[in-house]
Amino acid sequence: MVRFDLIGVPIGMGGGHHGTREAPVALRDAGLVSMLLSDGHQVRDLGDVDVDHVDRTEQIEGAIDQGILEATTRACHQARRLTMDSIQSGGFPITIGGDHSLAAGSLAGIAAARRLQDRDAPGLLWFDAHADLNTAETTPTGNLHGMSGAALLGWKVPGLSEVVGTDGVYHRHQAAFLAPRDMDVGEQRHMDSGQMLHVTHDHIKSDGVVH
């Protein structure tokens, strides 16, 4: 029997839109816990991390907003700690958000917990229309939700790289991206330099995943 640990991360500012912060409540209201229980599993709801919701004040296009960076980093540190605690206590963490900046915390927590158990980081399978491989130097928007993948794979990203740490990094040769359809120039450059497997949205539509 699996014990699922639900961890809510109600964050939306990393993507420039606050609506995604309502997702943890919406998913619970839609019956997520009941669905997991119906399969005979245990469920422990750990509640939500504390998120300071900050509006963007940075006026320079493409620049990272310092207030949003600090608030996002704090939330991601909490997500990392809760994910690590779940694994170390025998649980299976399910992190519900929230914009994708939270992945820098939740996925880093998984890799770090495994390394504490003398195991390596797992492979990284990224299902997303975007690769999230931007850094501060390549981002056209300054939105942190487009940088979590880069931080997890070892590229330097302000704030998020400190959350990931050396023990939360994933191996680029064990990362695969499914269904990206809109990659920025800098993201494509990182994808190519990291020699990471990716199957685009268009390829899946025309030939499927296995072809």
Side-chain angles (χ1 to χ4, degrees):
M1 180 186 298
V2 178
R3 189 196 79 215
F4 291 113
D5 290 339
L6 295 186
I7 303 166
V9 187
I11 190 169
M13 56 198 160
H17 303 285
H18 287 283
T20 52
R21 74 188 191 192
E22 305 298 333
V25 171
L27 288 168
R28 290 184 177 100
D29 289 346
L32 177 59
V33 173
S34 298
M35 181 189 71
L36 295 172
L37 288 172
S38 68
D39 287 334
H41 301 298
Q42 294 179 340
V43 179
R44 188 173 61 157
D45 194 337
L46 303 181
D48 293 345
V49 305
D50 294 324
V51 179
D52 300 320
H53 302 294
V54 178
D55 291 319
R56 182 178 177 87
T57 59
E58 175 60 63
Q59 299 300 313
I60 300 176
E61 185 176 358
I64 297 174
D65 185 275
Q66 190 61 34
I68 290 177
L69 174 63
E70 293 173 359
T72 299
T73 299
R74 287 193 295 270
C76 285
H77 273 297
Q78 294 178 65
R80 174 187 159 113
R81 177 180 56 79
L82 288 171
T83 303
M84 285 188 69
D85 290 347
S86 170
I87 293 175
Q88 290 178 287
S89 65
F92 188 106
I94 297 178
T95 306
I96 50 178
D99 73 64
H100 218 190
S101 60
L102 69 90
S106 61
L107 292 177
I110 293 173
R114 283 176 60 94
R115 288 188 168 109
L116 281 177
Q117 299 170 344
D118 294 323
R119 298 189 291 169
D120 203 355
L124 180 62
L125 187 57
W126 200 271
F127 285 91
D128 201 324
H130 305 95
D132 298 343
L133 290 176
N134 272 309
T135 63
E137 291 72 34
T138 67
T139 175
T141 64
N143 289 335
L144 292 170
H145 73 156
M147 306 183 200
S148 52
L152 287 163
L153 289 163
W155 281 283
K156 181 66 175 177
V157 176
L160 298 187
S161 291
E162 285 67 40
V163 173
V164 173
T166 57
D167 57 346
V169 171
Y170 286 73
H171 301 297
R172 296 175 190 175
H173 69 277
Q174 292 180 332
F177 293 77
L178 284 185
R181 57 170 172 78
D182 184 19
M183 281 194 286
D184 298 319
V185 173
E187 290 182 303
Q188 186 66 63
R189 187 164 62 246
H190 286 148
M191 186 77 74
D192 294 341
S193 67
Q195 297 183 320
M196 294 177 290
L197 174 66
H198 60 286
V199 184
T200 66
H201 172 265
D202 289 340
H203 182 97
I204 293 173
K205 283 184 66 177
S206 62
D207 299 319
V209 176
V210 178
H211 183 76

